[in-house]
Amino acid sequence: MARKKVTSAPALADWGAVDNALRDIRECQHTLAEMAVQRDRQIDSIKADYAQGALPLQNRVKALESEVKAYVDLHRAELDGKSRALNFGTVGYRVSSKLMLASSRVAEAIATLKVLGHTELIKTTETLDREALKRQPGDILQQVGAYIRTVDEFYYDVSSKEADA
């Protein structure tokens, strides 16, 4: 047996009902905005309570970290290699490195790398300018395998001045 598409009549019967539905949407949006303000106030209050309660603990952690570092600095020779495992953690030293290059010299560095033939050290990104391509004639779009799709989209606006009157 073939399937049949079930169609039903719209829930709104006339333009007055549509106008009432838009009014209800607007009221819901206002209520949601008020709820968001209340939510944000509660979040701000919780953040303030956390900050007040956490500050002494954060200060204690910083003080203990500096005391641990001072002790390990004095007893560095006793480390097993670069670190020492203890019951509640590990302390030690590690070597880290960071490339330093002034941002004013980046363009010069790129040019020098190109001259030296080290383009693999330069990141390049290519992106399609869709807006510019959209303005091109149809034959160019066809050559690249693109087309322009036009869609009739529904919209509504409940913030118009006429609705306030």
Side-chain angles (χ1 to χ4, degrees):
M1 179 175 198
R3 292 186 177 185
K4 291 184 180 180
K5 185 175 182 180
V6 177
T7 58
S8 60
L12 304 178
D14 57 12
W15 288 111
V18 171
D19 194 37
N20 285 336
L22 291 175
R23 185 197 63 212
D24 288 348
I25 289 171
R26 187 178 175 116
E27 288 298 320
C28 289
Q29 289 174 341
H30 286 302
T31 303
L32 287 169
E34 291 167 358
M35 289 172 64
V37 167
Q38 184 62 28
R39 176 203 61 209
D40 292 343
R41 286 186 179 139
Q42 289 176 349
I43 289 171
D44 290 344
S45 173
I46 291 169
K47 285 181 179 179
D49 291 346
Y50 170 80
Q52 184 178 1
L55 186 61
L57 295 171
Q58 291 168 339
N59 290 339
R60 175 80 174 132
V61 167
K62 286 180 185 177
L64 289 170
E65 285 174 346
S66 71
E67 291 172 7
V68 167
K69 183 182 181 318
Y71 182 86
V72 174
D73 286 344
L74 287 175
H75 297 87
R76 190 169 185 168
E78 298 172 20
L79 295 178
D80 302 327
K82 296 180 183 178
S83 63
R84 181 167 184 163
L86 302 169
N87 292 329
F88 296 101
T90 304
V91 294
Y93 294 90
R94 63 175 151 234
V95 177
S96 63
S97 61
K98 181 178 180 181
L99 176 67
M100 304 301 290
L101 177 64
S103 57
S104 60
R105 300 206 47 195
V106 170
E108 180 183 335
I110 291 172
T112 303
L113 287 170
K114 285 181 180 178
V115 168
L116 295 173
H118 291 289
T119 56
E120 74 277 4
L121 301 176
I122 302 169
K123 288 184 181 180
T124 57
T125 57
E126 294 180 353
T127 59
L128 185 64
D129 187 350
R130 292 178 176 271
E131 289 301 315
L133 187 59
K134 195 163 91 172
R135 294 188 295 269
Q136 297 303 310
D139 59 334
I140 293 177
L141 294 177
Q142 187 176 15
Q143 288 175 2
V144 297
Y147 64 93
I148 295 176
R149 180 180 67 191
T150 304
V151 179
D152 190 19
E153 294 179 342
F154 170 75
Y155 76 96
Y156 68 91
D157 181 11
V158 294
S159 62
S160 64
K161 295 294 180 186
E162 295 84 26
D164 290 336

